[in-house]
Amino acid sequence: MSRSTFFMKTTHILKTSVGVTCEMTFDESTAAFECQWSPPPPYPPADREQVIAEYLPWRDAIFSEWSQCTGKRVKLLTI
């Protein structure tokens, strides 16, 4: 089956420069995702800023690639 007719959940892993790892499970059909953080938050302020600076472009690239492959779009809100 082609990617356009068969969807699955994929796993993406980010290892940040401050030692925090994010494992994202991404549903290729719905774009729903869940992140597991290790170690879990909270983080010291300096580490938190670095994690965010590395996480957001990584996350956005996953969605951008998905959008290009599927022709679908989603709006991401960061709170």
Side-chain angles (χ1 to χ4, degrees):
M1 293 185 153
S2 70
R3 183 180 174 119
S4 61
T5 59
F6 179 76
F7 294 100
M8 63 185 158
K9 290 186 178 181
T10 55
T11 301
H12 306 267
I13 298 174
L14 170 69
K15 295 181 181 183
T16 69
S17 62
V18 295
V20 174
T21 299
C22 176
E23 182 174 318
M24 176 195 286
T25 303
F26 184 81
D27 187 316
E28 296 280 339
S29 63
T30 65
F33 71 101
E34 181 178 321
C35 290
Q36 297 294 321
W37 297 89
S38 180
Y43 308 115
D47 288 353
R48 182 176 57 241
E49 293 301 318
Q50 186 61 38
V51 168
I52 291 169
E54 294 177 37
Y55 167 75
L56 292 177
W58 172 78
R59 179 204 65 188
D60 293 350
I62 293 167
F63 278 91
S64 179
E65 181 180 332
W66 172 83
S67 182
Q68 289 175 354
C69 290
T70 64
K72 296 179 181 180
R73 294 175 53 184
V74 294
K75 181 173 270 193
L76 296 171
L77 300 176
T78 303
I79 300 173

